[in-house]
Amino acid sequence: MSSRKTQKRKSKKDKKLKERRRKLDHAAKRDKADLLFYQATWYWDSGKLDKALGFLERALRLEPANEEFLRALAGLGHEMERPDVELKALINLHSMGLLHVEMMPTLCTLLRMDKKYDQALALINKTLPLIPAMKVRNKRGLKASLVQEQRYCQFQVEAAESIKAKKRKEDIPPSPEKKAEQKRPPAASPPSSPAPPATGTRLPEIRISVELDAQAFEKALVNKVVAPPDHYELALEAQMVRFRETFENLVSLRSLRQVRSFWYQEETARKILKGFRGRALLADEVGLGKTIEALMVLKEYIQRGMVKSALILTPTPLVIQWQEELRTKFDLEFPSTNDPHYRTDEAFFWKKPFILSSINIAKSRKNFALVTEREYDMVIVDEAHHLKNRNTLNWKLVNALKKRFLLLLTATPVENNLMEVYNLVTLLKPGQLKTASDFRKDFMTRGDPTDPRNRDRLRTLLGQVMIRNTRALARVNIPPRFARTTRVRPLPLELDLYERISALVKDITATNGHGQRLILKNLLEEAGSSPRALGLTLEKMLGKRDVLLGHEGEIQAILNMCRSIEESSKDVRLLEIIRESRTKKVLFVKYLGTLDHVSEFLTRKKIPHALFHGGLDNRMKEEQIGLFREKKGILLTTEIGGEGRNLQFCHRMINYDLPWNPMKIEQRIGRLHRIGQENEVIIDNLCAAGSIEDYMLELLDKKINMFEMVIGEIDMILGRIEGEHDFSDTLYEIWLASGSGQDRYQAFNRLGTRLKRAKTSYEKTKSLDEKLFGEDYEL
């Protein structure tokens, strides 16, 4: 009896051990699969698609039913133009019941291409009744296309069955009577024309043969006979002509770099190209990528040879951002009014084929005639709500431009009055909404300029020139983000350093400030970053004694103070934040001097980290991102860090310093807080108490809750208080003009009041546009 109990206990223990081993094996397998998947996405983002496919297939061998892996496989197969890969992924998703209904037509087509006509036909019959419920564009066209696929597959299935039936019939041995009949000679009959095929019978296939003139081909190869350049150009032109007739395939998608376009952006580009003929009001909600959509259209026209000159007009603070997007993501070099050489030859600048300009500079009395006297194939205007009043120079400039294609970008087409959208549409398509008096009479309610009459008719007219995608349509569902600001109390030496550099900047401004504004403003920003960054600039200043006029002694004294600070109060707090958790973190700094200082500090504390900055070549950049992903817990990077790279596997970031331009802070956050992020993003901000950054964070965090906003909203708010004045200049001027203590506090408080009003105004406009347009102008 005792032996039986012992055996039973042993058996139970063995089962538990087996179950535990099974769970451990499963966990290890899952971890390995996740690692392989991360490697696949890294190679995918690097453009190494074959390697990405290899790692993804290895991950699927470990977890063949992983939905995320299968969806990635389908996307990768589509990008590689590998129908076999895409088909394999979609079939598995469908068999598991995880295939989205919108992807079923794609699976139907892939099955038909793979000659799986039975499966394709069955799926088409199942898909057709589901089309009305799908969230896709052009449902009528989709249905017509599927019906054609259905007929073709039906024909192939029937033909295959007919052949099988015929073969079965041939396999049956003939009867004796049939044999005798076959031996009997045929009766003579007069010649006649062949009878037409019976209705319903399958016509014989037309055989196609291709013959190669081997002698001519061999001669061309041996004698190196090449076509002349004009023949080559003609062949290219023929290819362009072929694609001009249809915009179903966007030829520009393959040339995009460091950007993954989303389906609604591609569909928006197609609609502008096909339906709107290159003239449209892009009014997507904030954060959905209107810039990407506009530049996809521009790139498409350029690659098809339809645009050979273009002008892009933006508010002054956005010129640099647009230039970066053009260069890094679309491989387009646009000279801009921000370039150092712009002012050396302005007249020649305005004759260049491609131009990126501040609208404020373009409309100036000096440039207005130069800008409007020539013709442009395409004009793009960002923040087009600045054109809402037809009596302004902004509106008159765009109206006077000679342009073939025109894109207007704004998230808020109407701010106060329906006449604003009338003025925008009139730029795009004069006469679309008739005259201003007709528009008021037909569509505006007396006493309420924001309440439209004849809504259905107005919706139809606006729908011919306007697209407004919403976050609901785009299925943008990003987890929230949270910010924690740490006000570090500076050490006495640090406090003395900051006060002396502030006094120096004020003194130079008062005595010799003309032409020195940029470097003086930079000194204060560097003082908020690190003593190392400040010291490097002071060393350069000492080499330019002609502009110092007696300040050399104070500069040298401050430089000595910078050199004496090896470990700052911010460094101590940074170490505490890093040691709070072992979660991966991206650590942002603005200056290379600060990067070197922080890297040395982390090395002394034996904290492994990867380094990323603009001075690395592409191979080194990829290597450092790989180290961060796979081995090291911290990526120490300048603001260029992670541009276009997939960093969503990380959800913690630290701002060691803070740029004075809030849009730059937003861009840092956007490296992590973007589509594909699955976790809440935690942001730690470090600043010295009493510094400019301290006052700035009080405004942005406490007054308007910037860190809880949707990406892009801060631009809309700052645009309402800045005009053409940069926010960083506003901070700099307040710091110089105000004294210390209460005076400075009140000056920044007044700026905070303006920010709160701007936010309230933006929220009212946003609500109005949602009420007016809703989801009526989606794809």
Side-chain angles (χ1 to χ4, degrees), residues 61-110:
R61 280 198 287 272
L62 294 171
E63 286 197 56
N66 188 302
E67 181 182 359
E68 184 182 9
F69 296 179
L70 288 170
R71 292 199 186 285
L73 184 66
L76 183 58
H78 180 74
E79 189 170 329
M80 294 178 71
E81 297 186 353
R82 287 278 305 272
D84 56 321
V85 174
E86 190 176 5
L87 177 61
K88 176 183 175 183
L90 295 184
I91 284 178
N92 285 331
L93 285 168
H94 184 252
S95 65
M96 294 159 56
L98 298 173
L99 186 67
H100 293 160
V101 67
E102 287 82 8
M103 289 302 297
M104 288 174 69
T106 302
L107 179 54
C108 293
T109 301
L110 290 171

Side-chain angles (χ1 to χ4, degrees), residues 79 100 318 326 379 394 484 528 540 600 670 698 774:
E79 189 170 329
H100 293 160
L318 299 180
L326 283 159
V379 171
N394 283 347
R484 178 177 63 171
K540 291 177 184 176
E600 290 171 10
E698 179 74 18

Side-chain angles (χ1 to χ4, degrees), residues 728-752:
S728 63
D729 289 332
T730 303
L731 296 178
Y732 176 72
E733 288 165 6
I734 290 176
W735 190 261
L736 289 187
S738 61
S740 57
Q742 189 65 19
D743 180 37
R744 181 173 290 161
Y745 174 79
Q746 289 177 353
F748 277 102
N749 200 44
R750 286 192 291 271
L751 177 59

